């Protein structure tokens, strides 16, 4: 899924759509908080995946010119 997120982030960066990037970042951060509190299963792989996606999104945001 990371490649998919990379392509989405690249598209939003090309469009200079900071709001969309902040929205997907917020969604991934909420998802990460939920995964950390999961019990009964081992969420480590999902946590690693979401953390990687957050890194990709933050890198995309960093490439945009400051507001």
């Amino acid at each position: 899924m990371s490649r998919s997120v990379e392509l989405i982030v690249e598209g939003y960066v090309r469009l200079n759509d900071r709001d969309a990037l902040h929205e997907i970042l917020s969604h991934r951060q909420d998802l990460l908080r939920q995964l950390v509190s999961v019990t009964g299963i081992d969420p480590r792989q999902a946590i690693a995946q979401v953390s990687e996606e957050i890194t990709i999104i933050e890198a995309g945001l960093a490439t945009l010119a400051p507001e």
Side-chain angles (χ1 to χ4, degrees):
M1 167 127 54
S2 290
R3 182 62 185 146
S4 299
V5 172
E6 287 175 7
L7 292 172
I8 291 166
V9 168
E10 287 173 14
Y12 286 143
V13 167
R14 268 189 254 121
L15 294 171
N16 200 32
D17 195 341
R18 182 181 304 276
D19 291 337
L21 286 169
H22 278 293
E23 186 176 316
I24 61 173
L25 177 60
S26 176
H27 175 264
R28 291 306 191 283
Q29 290 169 333
D30 290 341
L31 182 58
L32 185 59
R33 279 190 289 276
Q34 291 172 18
L35 284 169
V36 169
S37 66
V38 167
T39 59
I41 62 166
D42 183 5
R44 284 184 286 184
Q45 186 175 3
I47 289 171
Q49 180 69 38
V50 172
S51 296
E52 181 180 343
E53 292 174 2
I54 288 171
T55 300
I56 292 167
I57 297 163
E58 289 174 338
L61 279 167
T63 64
L64 296 179
E67 292 184 322

